[in-house]
Amino acid sequence: MKSIIYLIVLSFLWGSAFMWTKELLDVFKPPTIVFFRCLFGLVALLPFVLLKKNRMHLKIRPFFVFVLALGAAIPWNIMAFSLQGIDTSLSGILNATTPLFALLFSIIILKTKPSWNQTTSLLIGFVAVTVLILFSSQSTGVQFSIFHAFLMFAVTMAYALNSIWIKKYYTNIPTILLGFWTLLISAILNGVISVFMEPYAFKHLGTWEIILPLLVLGCLCAGLGYVIFYQIISIGGPILASMVTFISPFVTIVLGIFFLQEPFHLGIVIGMPLMILSLLLMNIHIFKRNVPLIE
């Protein structure tokens, strides 16, 4: 029961990240948003890192930095730019293509042989994305740019490559430290960029209208989100943790409609079930083998 509660909380946090980012785009440029998000996230994550026993001394090499940058610094920036041209509802659903790209890159990089259900899953996912983009571009009142929509694929590709290379090269590193270093590298990279683009960005931190979204986006969505995600894995296993992919788009759609007054259009009605079907089909082996969600 505890793991289910964690899953719901995490889905809400990660699903709401699109809304908070969209709100902050009226004040900051994307690199500044990512910098503050990571900075506040580090504040929330630091106590868990300090309390952890047997901390590792990592060798910081260029490829390690690049892989961790694919987990936050690069995709969060692209996501913020993407949200300048599309609704949060569409971005949340497109974000669910991460497992599809993870499968595709596993075939290319890890030479994994796909099963029939995985191949079918990719095809259905492609149809879902096509439907979403076509209907979104034609729906009245929808903020839509084909360029910004395709930017979301760069986001999900980055997430997919990050997970594949982490699994291949860095499974010996405790996940809580990976999360901390992911945020730290992102904060440093985006902090340097932000200083040149918006040297006086800190002046905007004097109002609760700015502080509150940053606290939620950083401390909760980023920092606490990592802790909850790893806690779900330790209690319920990776299968249960992956369920956040199914729930988060619903959260994004609801928040977008009720708080940002985004329209609910036919593309969502058709595309969302197709995307869920694609993800379910990809993991059909779990249900065939009667593997419990909670281990």
Side-chain angles (χ1 to χ4, degrees):
M1 183 62 183
K2 183 186 293 186
S3 56
I4 298 298
I5 295 175
Y6 283 152
L7 179 65
I8 295 173
V9 173
L10 181 62
S11 298
F12 180 81
L13 290 177
W14 284 2
S16 67
F18 294 92
M19 180 186 73
W20 296 113
T21 301
K22 185 92 169 178
E23 289 284 281
L24 289 169
L25 283 171
D26 293 333
V27 181
F28 300 117
K29 297 184 184 299
T32 304
I33 295 175
V34 176
F35 167 69
F36 283 130
R37 178 179 182 178
C38 294
L39 185 64
F40 281 87
L42 286 169
V43 171
L45 205 57
L46 185 60
F48 296 94
V49 174
L50 295 177
L51 290 173
K52 185 173 180 59
K53 298 178 181 178
N54 302 321
R55 293 191 293 274
M56 295 180 60
H57 297 285
L58 300 176
K59 293 182 179 179
I60 310 301
R61 295 175 177 172
F63 184 70
F64 178 74
V65 173
F66 174 66
V67 170
L68 294 192
L70 287 171
I74 295 173
W76 288 357
N77 255 300
I78 299 175
M79 183 189 76
F81 279 110
S82 175
L83 285 169
Q84 292 177 333
I86 61 174
D87 286 339
T88 57
S89 302
L90 177 60
S91 64
I93 300 175
L94 293 179
N95 190 61
T97 60
T98 299
L100 300 178
F101 280 112
L103 172 60
L104 185 61
F105 289 141
S106 294
I107 297 171
I108 298 172
I109 298 174
L110 303 179
K111 308 302 179 183
T112 304
K113 186 177 181 180
S115 59
W116 68 268
N117 58 291
Q118 291 174 328
T119 304
T120 307
S121 173
L122 286 174
L123 293 174
I124 296 176
F126 175 76
V127 173
V129 168
T130 303
V131 169
L132 277 166
I133 292 178
L134 286 177
F135 279 94
S136 296
S137 63
Q138 298 173 3
S139 298
T140 304
V142 173
Q143 183 184 16
F144 181 81
S145 160
I146 187 67
F147 172 73
H148 290 85
F150 274 97
L151 280 179
M152 278 304 302
F153 294 135
V155 173
T156 55
M157 287 180 187
Y159 287 146
L161 287 171
N162 169 264
S163 63
I164 287 174
W165 280 326
I166 288 291
K167 181 179 180 180
K168 186 175 182 179
Y169 298 112
Y170 304 113
T171 52
N172 61 314
I173 303 176
T175 50
I176 192 72
L177 293 184
L178 280 175
F180 180 82
W181 276 99
T182 298
L183 292 179
L184 180 61
I185 289 172
S186 181
I188 293 173
L189 294 176
N190 286 283
V192 172
I193 297 173
S194 179
V195 166
F196 288 98
M197 293 185 69
E198 295 182 280
Y200 303 106
F202 278 96
K203 290 185 176 181
H204 294 288
L205 300 182
T207 63
W208 278 108
E209 289 80 3
I210 304 300
I211 287 292
L212 182 59
L214 286 174
L215 284 173
V216 176
L217 192 60
C219 294
L220 299 183
C221 296
L224 185 60
Y226 272 116
V227 175
I228 294 176
F229 181 68
Y230 300 141
Q231 186 68 15
I232 293 173
I233 293 177
S234 65
I235 296 175
I239 297 173
L240 182 65
S242 67
M243 294 299 289
V244 71
T245 307
F246 297 85
I247 305 174
S248 293
F250 290 100
V251 176
T252 306
I253 291 171
V254 170
L255 293 177
I257 292 172
F258 285 96
F259 289 95
L260 301 179
Q261 287 75 52
E262 295 177 351
F264 185 75
H265 54 86
L266 189 59
I268 296 176
V269 175
I270 301 175
M272 183 67 178
L274 284 175
M275 185 63 69
I276 297 299
L277 175 61
S278 172
L279 298 177
L280 286 171
L281 188 60
M282 180 185 296
N283 296 284
I284 196 172
H285 59 281
I286 295 173
F287 306 101
K288 281 188 172 183
R289 296 174 185 171
N290 295 319
V291 179
L293 287 178
I294 301 178
E295 299 173 352

